[in-house]
């Protein structure tokens, strides 16, 4: 009987009671990422989103980009063709999102088109594609400048 009481007293002794944790003792988890930089515990961490959170963010982006042109499209096309076009674009967009997600799951090191080009064509192909994108952006900016004159 004394052995049981002795064990109970040992468990409750001040040496066995953990001390309380102060706010200074807690350090946020810090992760280094190639794209997002340093991810701290108090900021948003897009790497740990589940499929539901990722789907919501992707739909929010696509709806936000296209919602401003819907009234003009429906005015030009009419109700039934406008709805058919909207559904067709939604299906195409969903398929593309699925393909991008599948590719990303298989190649986690790829963060953009330049990384994908490097994966497919090597470092030389990556640089050639990068130069092509720069020329494309330059041509787009030049064409908009020409269209705004006069």
């Amino acid at each position: 009987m004394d052995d049981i009481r002795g064990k109970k007293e040992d468990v409750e002794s001040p040496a066995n009671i953990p001390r309380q944790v102060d706010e200074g003792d807690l350090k946020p988890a810090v992760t280094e990422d190639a794209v997002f930089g340093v991810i701290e515990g108090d900021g948003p961490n897009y790497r740990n989103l589940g499929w539901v959170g990722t789907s919501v963010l992707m739909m929010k982006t696509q709806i936000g980009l296209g919602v401003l042109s819907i009234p003009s499209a429906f005015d030009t096309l009419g109700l039934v063709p406008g709805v058919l076009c909207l559904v067709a674009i939604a299906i195409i967009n969903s398929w593309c999102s699925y393909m991008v997600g599948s590719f990303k799951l298989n190649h986690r090191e790829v963060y953009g088109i330049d990384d994908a080009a490097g994966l497919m064509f090597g470092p030389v192909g990556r640089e050639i594609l990068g130069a092509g994108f720069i020329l494309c952006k330059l041509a787009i900016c030049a064409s908009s400048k020409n269209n705004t004159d006069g």
Side-chain angles (χ1 to χ4, degrees):
M1 194 73 173
D2 290 332
D3 291 335
I4 294 173
R5 287 185 185 161
K7 288 180 183 177
K8 183 178 179 184
E9 290 172 3
D10 289 341
V11 171
E12 293 178 356
S13 68
N16 293 331
I17 297 174
R19 66 180 183 90
Q20 292 182 349
V21 179
D22 295 332
E23 287 183 23
D25 293 338
L26 299 176
K27 295 178 182 170
V30 176
T31 305
E32 181 72 27
D33 187 63
V35 172
F36 300 115
V38 176
I39 301 172
E40 296 181 1
D42 56 349
N45 187 354
Y46 298 110
R47 292 182 63 191
N48 292 340
L49 285 176
W51 71 270
V52 175
T54 304
S55 300
V56 168
L57 283 176
M58 290 177 78
M59 284 189 289
K60 182 181 90 164
T61 302
Q62 296 303 321
I63 291 171
L65 291 174
V67 75
L68 297 175
S69 65
I70 289 176
S72 174
F74 273 66
D75 185 40
T76 303
L77 296 173
L79 183 62
V80 175
V83 169
L84 291 176
C85 285
L86 188 65
V87 169
I89 290 171
I91 290 170
I92 292 169
N93 191 15
S94 297
W95 177 254
C96 290
S97 297
Y98 171 74
M99 294 302 291
V100 168
S102 297
F103 180 83
K104 183 62 178 169
L105 287 176
N106 291 328
H107 304 283
R108 294 190 181 269
E109 71 277 5
V110 175
Y111 284 101
I113 267 195
D114 58 339
D115 291 333
L119 186 67
M120 292 184 289
F121 306 118
V124 174
R126 179 180 178 166
E127 296 301 322
I128 291 172
L129 189 76
F133 267 100
I134 290 172
L135 290 174
C136 181
K137 295 280 186 178
L138 185 65
I140 290 170
C141 291
S143 70
S144 68
K145 175 66 176 149
N146 288 338
N147 287 335
T148 58
D149 289 342

